[in-house]
Amino acid sequence: MSQPLRVAILGAGMIGEVHRRAVLLAGAELVGVMASSQARSKEVADAWGVPQAYDDVEQAAASDADVVHICTPNASHVPFAIALMKAGKHVICEKPLGISLADAEEAAAVAAETGLVNTIPFAYRFHPMAREMRARVQDAEFGAVNLVHGSYLQDWMLNPRSTSWRVDAKAGGPSRAFGDIGSHWCDLAEWVTGDRIASLVATTSISIPQRPAATAASFSAVESDAPLIDVTTEDSACILFRTAGGVAGSAVISQLSAGRKNRLWLEVDGAHRSAVFDQEYGEQLWIGADAGATVHFRDPNHGSADQRRLSLLPAGHAQGYAQCFENFVNDSYAAVRAHAHGEAGPEGLPTFADGARAAAICDAMLTSASDGRWVDVKE
Amino acid sequence: MSQPLRVAILGAGMIGEVHRRAVLLAGAELVGVMASSQARSKEVADAWGVPQAYDDVEQAAASDADVVHICTPNASHVPFAIALMKAGKHVICEKPLGISLADAEEAAAVAAETGLVNTIPFAYRFHPMAREMRARVQDAEFGAVNLVHGSYLQDWMLNPRSTSWRVDAKAGGPSRAFGDIGSHWCDLAEWVTGDRIASLVATTSISIPQRPAATAASFSAVESDAPLIDVTTEDSACILFRTAGGVAGSAVISQLSAGRKNRLWLEVDGAHRSAVFDQEYGEQLWIGADAGATVHFRDPNHGSADQRRLSLLPAGHAQGYAQCFENFVNDSYAAVRAHAHGEAGPEGLPTFADGARAAAICDAMLTSASDGRWVDVKE
Amino acid sequence: MSQPLRVAILGAGMIGEVHRRAVLLAGAELVGVMASSQARSKEVADAWGVPQAYDDVEQAAASDADVVHICTPNASHVPFAIALMKAGKHVICEKPLGISLADAEEAAAVAAETGLVNTIPFAYRFHPMAREMRARVQDAEFGAVNLVHGSYLQDWMLNPRSTSWRVDAKAGGPSRAFGDIGSHWCDLAEWVTGDRIASLVATTSISIPQRPAATAASFSAVESDAPLIDVTTEDSACILFRTAGGVAGSAVISQLSAGRKNRLWLEVDGAHRSAVFDQEYGEQLWIGADAGATVHFRDPNHGSADQRRLSLLPAGHAQGYAQCFENFVNDSYAAVRAHAHGEAGPEGLPTFADGARAAAICDAMLTSASDGRWVDVKE
Amino acid sequence: MSQPLRVAILGAGMIGEVHRRAVLLAGAELVGVMASSQARSKEVADAWGVPQAYDDVEQAAASDADVVHICTPNASHVPFAIALMKAGKHVICEKPLGISLADAEEAAAVAAETGLVNTIPFAYRFHPMAREMRARVQDAEFGAVNLVHGSYLQDWMLNPRSTSWRVDAKAGGPSRAFGDIGSHWCDLAEWVTGDRIASLVATTSISIPQRPAATAASFSAVESDAPLIDVTTEDSACILFRTAGGVAGSAVISQLSAGRKNRLWLEVDGAHRSAVFDQEYGEQLWIGADAGATVHFRDPNHGSADQRRLSLLPAGHAQGYAQCFENFVNDSYAAVRAHAHGEAGPEGLPTFADGARAAAICDAMLTSASDGRWVDVKE
């Protein structure tokens, strides 16, 4: 085995832990960590058995790490990413890529200039069966795409006492449900079809007008008893769109659909076949045809090359979300190793350009919801 | 048993047969029939063992029938219905209620004036579990509705050699997929929620620009070898909407989604529960809650009163589409019998007012698709 | 149309109504009825608009009916059927074919002698997708059968206050769950595979030792408050078996599996494919292969000839149980009409020989459960 | 954090890798490895970055490891485990616990004497929803268990060119399908119900009489072109059983059910509820009741304590098989740490006693299949 990559993680909350886990499994060497304070950085470094505890991003930028994972609060994503890339670090940055389109575009521009590896975890691309869907949708046998539709539904914000920093536009940016999960849906839809959303019309809803001020972590279902503040970001958003290729589409995004935990559902209807990927049943792919529907299972022994490559377990032994994330980090690291040899990394990695793309779609969505008209997505 | 109702059927094609079946099962007396020609009327009357064979609608209007079923081509629906109501007949008229909004409004106005029973087969209302959904969605425990979404997908027009009279706007009216099946979705959504679509924005697609001229019956999958004509009605339509109550919604309507045979899917997300009815699995209703999802089965022994009333078979012995239609005809006849006593008929019957409503929504959809803006639905 | 068949129905309870419905839909002429008493026969004849009200089976045997449906209590099935066949009537007899193997064998023998049409409603054979399963399982592409397994689960006897005449072996014969629903499973398994259960080992359970004495109709979930009696027939039965062809199999039969309404599930595993029919989702058939599973929908436009023949509605418009029963009666009548011309009727009809077969399997099951050993099924 | 546990792994094949992954994630220190030869041990130690490469089990027994994972070929499991326990090592031993009942009993006896931690990966116990099932089945609300049934179906031996060392009884022990996967089913059934299989009757089948001699790894679908040998172990097995508590049950075990990848399905029917766990859809648990069925999702915020404890990801983000295995190793290590303080470890760990139990059931199964009679399972 070649020398392991040297890796640092900025941010030691729940999501930092998820990254650490993937770092370990990827066989990389975790050399440094930065947490919410100097004292906390030292504590975490000790707990994780990591040599370097950074006081600030500058120390991380000056370290001997090859790759830095950014898992800090959203507002810091872009400044940290830029500082690190300017110091020559490859960067894996958590979603979203900043809290404005301008931010995201700047990060993407710096990434393009430096030529360093830059990825963001649109992790659902790493479900083997999402790869299978992409291979099949882009295959001639599928036929031209006629329609793209689906939804991404959760219920963790259904309780009026649930909250997150994103309920307040000033704190977390002007979009919540769409920015948080709609972005995943759009990324997957564009990536699977190889087509882009060119224009859209949207409507958004705030069903719960006040919520507790944010103090708890995302995904926590703990009811907050903090004082109420006005909610200024959407609980749900619906969009219609047209792609550059002229295809119509529709998506429903909601964080208050009772009983829906993480239902990212994408259907693509083509001239000969249809395809459905449902993230909650991510071990399978539904392919519809006139004479019946076929359910393909994730399987290292069957299907498209990339699906097989990312299938780490025998069929019937579910991989799950954590292994999507591992696949994402493995491929990011493979890109870093390829970069060292001037080679291209694995196909299909979500980059800062994709992060900027998500921001552009979100911007158009907000403009349309506000103005009540079709809006072009900035290219 | 009281004297059976005297019933006539106009139109003896596939759909006329469906009505005849329901007439028989309802215990009514089939007294007359009109088919596509005088000769054919006599043939059918003979084959069905029916005494009267009508040459034209006037003969039917002058007959001793209590109720007339109109199963003739669409353009005749409204003139026939009006002629019959003016002659004092109760009318069960096939969908659509004419081929223009003006037609439908006129029929609804005459119906209102005469006070006769007037129904149209939005048959999915008669799935017992659609009733169950309605009862639950309108129950306080469900909470205020936050979002209404879904789709109605078929694939019978996926084959470029498939056709129907509705591919040509001049022959079948300006909308195809939406008028044919989108109307069912909207009717069910409004009826289940008790709320109305106030405004909408739409986009439509014609994916197959030419098809054979219509000669074959609807639902037939026989490939036509007729000469090609330009398709001028939509293969698919997507809408976003706002209800009178301020709720956002979305629907995807398509006749070319491979592998989808008749997938009417309606989800309503409320403040405490969500509900899903999927017509292809019409024996069950999905109710989502934060702590899990419950699947309720059609069951004469459990659930809401109207579901139990329409559950004609023990749980687990699927009723299917034909028994929806029987329920519709039974309730229409019950309304006729109630009318004779100056009483109200069963709740939930789809009437000409509902048919006019469907035409108004379709009109708004077409206007929006053409103009690219939000359009109010005429009340 | 040829002269309609002349039909009589003996028994005017819930199941008699089911038959009447199918008679009407088949276009036959209902000429006579016999109910539980002379007075009741007259009432029913009046209510149904039927000319003849029989006092006893002799009158029915002497009538001008072509076909007689026997829907009376079980103990009368065989004597009535024999009396009617000896009078030259074709007979459609409700399940079970008597309450002992000897009874059933006698009925089958008389049927064979007279050569008249004799059928019993193993109605699940008339699910189009059960036909599809049979066609596929017996096709060379499926490969030799390796394993046959499944279950038939209901919950209507889960409530200790539920009862039926069959809880008491003296009243309804020595087997309940197996005789009632296990017989359907075995019939379907043998019919689909074309192989026969040669020997079996069984275990039965009575989970609720006392229940109210029977007064209510089967399928009723009304809680009885009748005095308790000892239950002497099984609530559930499990069998292992070997077929004449040497294939192993297993079935679990239960009337107290909570949440299971009528879950007849049959899986056949072959050398190249597997197949599953689940009655509660009877519009589809699951075919497993190494590379994925295909779900075939009932569809008049696709699949095997017999499936298409029995598909009376377009795909996606569920047929349900009632149309199984209609298919059964239609095919029985087609056999009667064919008999008049000395021709063979439709393939696949369940006859008295199949009823006797069911009795033989039930007998072996009871013997094995009692003796604790493998028992051969009488041929 | 306390000092990490020191861990060694014997066996560096596919399953050894699975263990290594869990070791890393558990935060333990991997100190040594033994592979198939001295040279290979050194290679693996180098590749994994592990300090100690063992020549034989004695070196491992003499090392400073706290815990040793045994992932070597089956015949070595018991001798290695005994040697290691006698040297004071805690042992995590792959399934099966030896290749005979005597072996397994000896290992369990030594484990009991030494009092060291001893576990075997009946990993499905660590699906959070299997825990949820156990909690619910053993809850009073469920009611007394009436029936236990299900199946464990795979298709990886359907291809006549597929093989494993287990096709030959001399090489891999006298049972294949049952020993390999039936053991999991029985363990789960007993563990979930808290009841034990007291007696059983079985039938086994060898559908493919000859296969290539084993050379390839298990789970590999590579077609072997090795010379054919006689297959002397079962492709499938069916059992009926009675538990110590008097409950009847049934299981179908097969490795040649086309389209079934790893379908462990367990249904328990109780006096008030039924419960189904289907491993391929392991994120959910089906609970049946008379009035409907509820689908519970794995969810750190809802459900029983142990399910929540083992739910490492938010609901809707599937955990999968790998995280079952991690949970198993984590709990095994927790038991080791508890042992150091004289405390009890986590509840629910599968131990050598459970491995011996599996061997006893397998023995009874083989005896019954051979003798054709009910056989008591040795306690």
Side-chain angles (χ1 to χ4, degrees):
Chain A
M1 198 166 80
S2 60
Q3 196 64 14
L5 289 178
R6 300 172 61 80
V7 175
I9 296 178
L10 312 189
M14 187 194 84
I15 196 70
E17 272 290 359
V18 169
H19 283 249
R20 185 175 81 99
R21 185 189 142 92
V23 171
L24 289 175
L25 288 169
E29 186 182 350
L30 190 52
V31 297
V33 65
M34 182 180 87
S36 51
S37 66
Q38 293 187 15
R40 182 81 187 116
S41 291
K42 287 196 170 47
E43 262 175 53
V44 174
D46 191 48
W48 287 3
V50 169
Q52 308 167 11
Y54 308 124
D55 291 349
D56 50 34
V57 72
E58 286 73 25
Q59 288 192 358
S63 76
D64 60 351
D66 301 309
V67 187
V68 182
H69 293 243
I70 302 176
C71 307
T72 49
N74 293 6
S76 62
H77 287 180
V78 165
F80 284 10
I82 289 175
L84 290 161
M85 289 189 291
K86 289 195 170 164
K89 304 303 183 197
H90 302 290
V91 176
I92 297 175
C93 182
E94 259 303 322
K95 283 185 62 223
L97 189 60
I99 54 178
S100 74
L101 175 54
D103 261 17
E105 288 176 333
E106 190 190 351
V110 174
E113 278 163 37
T114 60
L116 294 159
V117 171
N118 58 100
T119 64
I120 61 171
F122 282 125
Y124 299 128
R125 290 192 188 187
F126 294 87
H127 266 302
M129 297 317 278
R131 300 267 156 161
E132 186 71 28
M133 185 183 196
R134 189 185 186 217
R136 288 175 181 268
V137 166
Q138 298 192 10
D139 188 89
E141 189 180 281
F142 194 81
V145 171
N146 287 330
L147 203 57
V148 178
H149 52 107
S151 54
Y152 196 158
L153 309 176
Q154 299 182 331
D155 70 359
W156 68 288
M157 293 297 278
L158 186 61
N159 186 329
R161 305 291 321 170
S162 294
T163 194
S164 88
W165 52 266
R166 273 192 148 171
V167 304
D168 180 6
K170 291 192 296 291
S175 172
R176 177 169 27 107
F178 195 87
D180 193 10
I181 58 176
S183 56
H184 277 288
W185 193 94
C186 292
D187 179 71
L188 205 61
E190 292 194 341
W191 181 76
V192 159
T193 59
D195 197 0
R196 310 252 286 189
I197 297 174
S199 61
L200 58 78
V201 60
T203 186
T204 59
S205 302
I206 296 174
S207 299
I208 298 174
Q210 291 200 312
R211 292 183 184 268
T215 54
S218 297
F219 293 124
S220 162
V222 176
E223 299 196 4
S224 169
D225 52 7
L228 296 182
I229 59 167
D230 286 347
V231 172
T232 52
T233 56
E234 80 280 357
D235 288 317
S236 61
C238 302
I239 62 169
L240 298 188
F241 58 85
R242 283 280 166 187
T243 67
V247 175
S250 165
V252 175
I253 311 299
S254 161
Q255 293 183 324
L256 28 66
S257 296
R260 302 303 191 184
K261 295 306 168 187
N262 200 35
R263 190 181 197 249
L264 188 170
W265 169 289
L266 173 63
E267 174 161 346
V268 179
D269 297 337
H272 306 307
R273 296 281 183 279
S274 295
V276 174
F277 177 72
D278 176 358
Q279 194 278 145
E280 292 186 334
Y281 298 90
E283 290 281 300
Q284 62 194 45
L285 177 70
W286 185 93
I287 298 288
D290 180 28
T294 304
V295 178
H296 296 277
F297 313 120
R298 185 190 56 71
D299 191 338
N301 299 317
H302 292 286
S304 61
D306 232 26
Q307 184 263 123
R308 297 170 72 157
R309 180 176 73 83
L310 299 180
S311 274
L312 309 178
L313 291 172
H317 298 72
Q319 291 201 172
Y321 178 82
Q323 286 186 308
C324 286
F325 203 85
E326 288 170 44
N327 277 332
F328 162 66
V329 171
N330 285 342
D331 272 13
S332 295
Y333 289 178
V336 170
R337 287 190 296 267
H339 182 273
H341 301 90
E343 292 164 8
E347 209 276 320
L349 272 169
T351 65
F352 284 12
D354 297 308
R357 173 81 194 146
I361 296 172
C362 193
D363 235 43
M365 186 282 294
L366 289 167
T367 302
S368 175
S370 158
D371 295 2
R373 57 180 178 81
W374 282 84
V375 171
D376 289 341
V377 178
K378 187 176 170 188
E379 266 305 320
Chain B
M1 198 168 81
S2 61
Q3 196 65 15
L5 290 177
R6 299 172 63 80
V7 175
I9 295 178
L10 312 189
M14 187 195 83
I15 196 69
E17 271 290 358
V18 170
H19 283 250
R20 186 176 80 99
R21 186 189 142 93
V23 171
L24 289 175
L25 289 169
E29 186 182 350
L30 189 53
V31 297
V33 65
M34 182 180 88
S36 51
S37 67
Q38 294 187 15
R40 181 84 186 113
S41 291
K42 285 196 170 49
E43 262 177 51
V44 175
D46 191 48
W48 288 3
V50 169
Q52 307 167 13
Y54 308 124
D55 292 349
D56 50 33
V57 71
E58 287 72 26
Q59 288 192 1
S63 76
D64 60 351
D66 301 308
V67 187
V68 182
H69 293 243
I70 302 175
C71 308
T72 48
N74 292 8
S76 62
H77 287 180
V78 164
F80 284 10
I82 290 175
L84 291 160
M85 289 188 291
K86 289 195 169 165
K89 304 302 182 198
H90 301 290
V91 176
I92 297 176
C93 182
E94 258 304 321
K95 284 186 62 222
L97 189 59
I99 53 178
S100 74
L101 174 54
D103 261 18
E105 289 176 333
E106 191 189 352
V110 174
E113 278 162 37
T114 61
L116 293 159
V117 171
N118 57 100
T119 64
I120 61 171
F122 282 125
Y124 299 129
R125 291 192 188 187
F126 294 86
H127 267 300
M129 297 317 278
R131 300 268 156 161
E132 186 70 28
M133 185 183 196
R134 188 185 186 216
R136 288 176 181 268
V137 166
Q138 298 193 11
D139 188 89
E141 189 180 280
F142 193 81
V145 171
N146 287 330
L147 203 57
V148 179
H149 52 107
S151 55
Y152 196 157
L153 309 177
Q154 299 181 332
D155 70 359
W156 67 287
M157 292 297 278
L158 185 61
N159 186 329
R161 306 292 318 172
S162 293
T163 194
S164 88
W165 52 267
R166 273 193 148 172
V167 304
D168 180 7
K170 291 191 296 291
S175 171
R176 177 169 28 105
F178 195 87
D180 193 9
I181 59 176
S183 56
H184 277 288
W185 193 94
C186 293
D187 180 71
L188 205 61
E190 292 194 342
W191 181 75
V192 160
T193 59
D195 197 0
R196 309 254 284 191
I197 297 174
S199 61
L200 59 78
V201 59
T203 187
T204 59
S205 302
I206 296 173
S207 299
I208 298 173
Q210 291 200 311
R211 292 181 184 269
T215 53
S218 298
F219 293 125
S220 162
V222 176
E223 298 195 5
S224 170
D225 52 7
L228 296 182
I229 59 167
D230 286 347
V231 172
T232 52
T233 56
E234 80 280 357
D235 288 317
S236 61
C238 303
I239 62 169
L240 297 188
F241 59 84
R242 284 276 166 189
T243 67
V247 175
S250 165
V252 175
I253 311 299
S254 161
Q255 293 182 325
L256 28 65
S257 297
R260 304 301 191 183
K261 295 305 170 189
N262 199 36
R263 191 182 197 249
L264 188 170
W265 170 288
L266 173 63
E267 174 161 346
V268 179
D269 297 337
H272 307 308
R273 295 281 184 279
S274 294
V276 174
F277 177 72
D278 176 358
Q279 194 277 145
E280 292 186 334
Y281 298 90
E283 290 282 300
Q284 61 194 43
L285 177 70
W286 185 94
I287 297 288
D290 180 29
T294 304
V295 178
H296 296 277
F297 313 119
R298 184 189 57 69
D299 192 337
N301 299 317
H302 292 285
S304 61
D306 231 26
Q307 184 263 124
R308 297 169 71 155
R309 180 176 72 83
L310 299 180
S311 275
L312 309 177
L313 290 173
H317 298 72
Q319 292 202 171
Y321 177 82
Q323 286 186 306
C324 285
F325 202 86
E326 288 170 44
N327 278 331
F328 162 68
V329 171
N330 285 341
D331 272 13
S332 296
Y333 289 179
V336 169
R337 286 190 296 268
H339 182 273
H341 301 90
E343 292 163 8
E347 208 276 319
L349 272 170
T351 66
F352 284 13
D354 296 308
R357 172 82 193 145
I361 296 173
C362 193
D363 234 44
M365 187 283 293
L366 289 167
T367 303
S368 174
S370 157
D371 295 2
R373 60 180 177 80
W374 283 83
V375 171
D376 289 341
V377 178
K378 188 176 171 188
E379 266 304 320
Chain C
M1 197 165 82
S2 61
Q3 196 64 15
L5 290 177
R6 298 173 62 81
V7 175
I9 296 177
L10 312 189
M14 187 194 83
I15 196 69
E17 272 289 359
V18 170
H19 282 249
R20 185 176 80 99
R21 185 190 142 93
V23 170
L24 288 175
L25 289 169
E29 187 182 350
L30 189 53
V31 298
V33 65
M34 182 181 89
S36 51
S37 67
Q38 294 188 17
R40 181 83 187 116
S41 292
K42 285 196 170 49
E43 263 176 51
V44 173
D46 191 48
W48 288 2
V50 168
Q52 307 168 12
Y54 307 125
D55 292 349
D56 50 34
V57 71
E58 287 73 25
Q59 288 193 358
S63 76
D64 60 352
D66 302 307
V67 187
V68 181
H69 294 244
I70 302 176
C71 307
T72 48
N74 294 7
S76 62
H77 288 178
V78 163
F80 284 10
I82 289 174
L84 290 160
M85 288 188 291
K86 290 195 168 164
K89 305 300 182 198
H90 303 289
V91 176
I92 296 176
C93 182
E94 259 304 322
K95 286 185 59 223
L97 190 59
I99 52 178
S100 74
L101 175 54
D103 260 18
E105 289 176 332
E106 190 188 354
V110 174
E113 278 163 36
T114 61
L116 293 160
V117 172
N118 56 100
T119 64
I120 62 171
F122 281 125
Y124 299 128
R125 291 192 188 187
F126 294 87
H127 267 301
M129 296 316 280
R131 298 269 157 161
E132 186 71 28
M133 185 182 195
R134 189 185 186 216
R136 288 175 182 268
V137 166
Q138 298 192 11
D139 188 90
E141 189 180 282
F142 194 80
V145 171
N146 287 331
L147 203 58
V148 178
H149 53 107
S151 54
Y152 197 157
L153 309 176
Q154 299 181 330
D155 70 358
W156 69 287
M157 292 297 278
L158 186 60
N159 186 328
R161 305 290 321 170
S162 293
T163 194
S164 88
W165 51 267
R166 273 193 147 171
V167 305
D168 180 7
K170 292 191 295 292
S175 171
R176 176 168 29 104
F178 195 87
D180 193 9
I181 59 175
S183 56
H184 277 288
W185 192 94
C186 293
D187 179 71
L188 205 61
E190 292 193 340
W191 181 76
V192 160
T193 59
D195 197 0
R196 310 255 283 190
I197 297 173
S199 61
L200 59 78
V201 60
T203 186
T204 59
S205 303
I206 296 173
S207 299
I208 299 174
Q210 291 200 312
R211 292 182 184 267
T215 54
S218 298
F219 294 125
S220 163
V222 177
E223 298 194 6
S224 169
D225 53 7
L228 295 181
I229 60 167
D230 287 346
V231 172
T232 52
T233 57
E234 80 281 356
D235 288 317
S236 62
C238 303
I239 62 169
L240 296 188
F241 58 84
R242 284 277 166 189
T243 67
V247 175
S250 165
V252 174
I253 311 299
S254 161
Q255 293 183 323
L256 29 64
S257 296
R260 304 301 191 184
K261 295 306 168 186
N262 199 35
R263 191 181 196 249
L264 188 170
W265 170 288
L266 173 63
E267 174 161 345
V268 179
D269 297 337
H272 306 308
R273 295 281 183 279
S274 294
V276 174
F277 178 72
D278 176 359
Q279 195 277 146
E280 292 185 333
Y281 299 89
E283 290 282 299
Q284 63 194 43
L285 177 69
W286 184 94
I287 297 289
D290 181 27
T294 304
V295 179
H296 296 277
F297 313 118
R298 184 190 56 70
D299 192 337
N301 299 316
H302 292 285
S304 62
D306 232 26
Q307 184 262 123
R308 297 170 71 157
R309 180 176 73 84
L310 299 180
S311 274
L312 309 177
L313 290 173
H317 299 73
Q319 291 202 173
Y321 178 82
Q323 287 186 305
C324 285
F325 202 85
E326 288 169 44
N327 278 331
F328 161 67
V329 171
N330 285 341
D331 272 13
S332 295
Y333 289 179
V336 170
R337 286 190 296 266
H339 182 271
H341 300 91
E343 292 164 8
E347 208 277 319
L349 272 169
T351 65
F352 284 12
D354 297 307
R357 172 83 192 143
I361 296 172
C362 193
D363 235 44
M365 186 283 295
L366 290 167
T367 303
S368 174
S370 158
D371 295 2
R373 58 179 178 82
W374 283 84
V375 171
D376 289 341
V377 178
K378 187 177 171 189
E379 267 304 320
Chain D
M1 197 167 81
S2 61
Q3 196 63 15
L5 289 177
R6 299 173 62 79
V7 174
I9 297 177
L10 311 189
M14 187 194 83
I15 196 70
E17 272 289 358
V18 170
H19 282 249
R20 185 175 81 99
R21 188 188 141 92
V23 171
L24 289 176
L25 289 170
E29 186 181 349
L30 189 54
V31 298
V33 64
M34 182 181 88
S36 50
S37 67
Q38 293 187 14
R40 181 83 186 115
S41 291
K42 286 195 170 48
E43 260 175 54
V44 174
D46 191 47
W48 288 2
V50 169
Q52 307 167 13
Y54 308 124
D55 292 349
D56 51 34
V57 72
E58 287 72 26
Q59 288 192 358
S63 75
D64 60 351
D66 301 308
V67 187
V68 181
H69 294 244
I70 301 176
C71 307
T72 48
N74 293 6
S76 61
H77 288 180
V78 163
F80 284 9
I82 290 175
L84 290 161
M85 289 188 293
K86 290 196 169 165
K89 305 301 181 197
H90 302 290
V91 176
I92 297 175
C93 182
E94 259 304 321
K95 286 185 60 220
L97 191 59
I99 52 178
S100 73
L101 175 54
D103 261 17
E105 288 176 333
E106 191 189 351
V110 173
E113 278 163 36
T114 60
L116 293 159
V117 171
N118 58 100
T119 65
I120 62 171
F122 281 126
Y124 299 128
R125 291 192 188 187
F126 294 87
H127 266 302
M129 298 316 280
R131 299 267 157 160
E132 186 70 28
M133 185 182 195
R134 188 185 187 217
R136 287 175 181 269
V137 165
Q138 298 192 11
D139 187 89
E141 188 180 281
F142 194 81
V145 171
N146 287 330
L147 203 57
V148 178
H149 53 105
S151 55
Y152 196 157
L153 309 177
Q154 299 182 332
D155 70 359
W156 69 288
M157 292 297 278
L158 185 61
N159 186 330
R161 305 290 321 171
S162 294
T163 195
S164 87
W165 52 266
R166 273 193 148 172
V167 305
D168 180 7
K170 291 191 297 291
S175 171
R176 175 167 31 104
F178 195 87
D180 192 9
I181 59 176
S183 56
H184 277 288
W185 193 93
C186 293
D187 179 72
L188 205 61
E190 293 194 341
W191 181 75
V192 160
T193 59
D195 198 359
R196 310 252 287 189
I197 297 173
S199 61
L200 58 79
V201 60
T203 186
T204 59
S205 302
I206 295 174
S207 299
I208 298 173
Q210 291 200 312
R211 292 183 185 267
T215 54
S218 298
F219 292 125
S220 162
V222 177
E223 297 195 6
S224 170
D225 52 7
L228 296 181
I229 58 168
D230 286 347
V231 172
T232 52
T233 56
E234 81 281 356
D235 288 317
S236 62
C238 303
I239 63 169
L240 296 189
F241 58 85
R242 283 278 167 190
T243 67
V247 175
S250 165
V252 175
I253 311 298
S254 161
Q255 293 182 323
L256 29 64
S257 296
R260 303 301 191 185
K261 296 304 169 188
N262 200 35
R263 190 181 197 250
L264 188 170
W265 169 289
L266 173 64
E267 175 161 346
V268 179
D269 297 337
H272 306 307
R273 295 282 183 278
S274 294
V276 174
F277 177 73
D278 176 358
Q279 195 276 146
E280 293 186 333
Y281 298 89
E283 290 282 299
Q284 62 194 44
L285 178 70
W286 184 94
I287 297 288
D290 181 27
T294 304
V295 179
H296 296 277
F297 313 120
R298 184 190 57 71
D299 192 338
N301 299 317
H302 292 285
S304 62
D306 232 25
Q307 184 262 123
R308 296 170 71 158
R309 180 176 73 83
L310 298 180
S311 274
L312 309 178
L313 290 173
H317 299 72
Q319 292 201 174
Y321 178 82
Q323 287 187 305
C324 285
F325 202 85
E326 288 170 44
N327 277 332
F328 162 67
V329 171
N330 285 341
D331 272 13
S332 295
Y333 289 179
V336 169
R337 286 190 296 267
H339 182 273
H341 302 90
E343 292 163 9
E347 209 276 320
L349 272 169
T351 66
F352 284 12
D354 297 308
R357 173 82 193 145
I361 295 172
C362 192
D363 235 42
M365 187 283 294
L366 289 167
T367 303
S368 174
S370 157
D371 295 2
R373 57 179 178 81
W374 283 85
V375 171
D376 290 342
V377 178
K378 187 176 171 189
E379 267 305 319

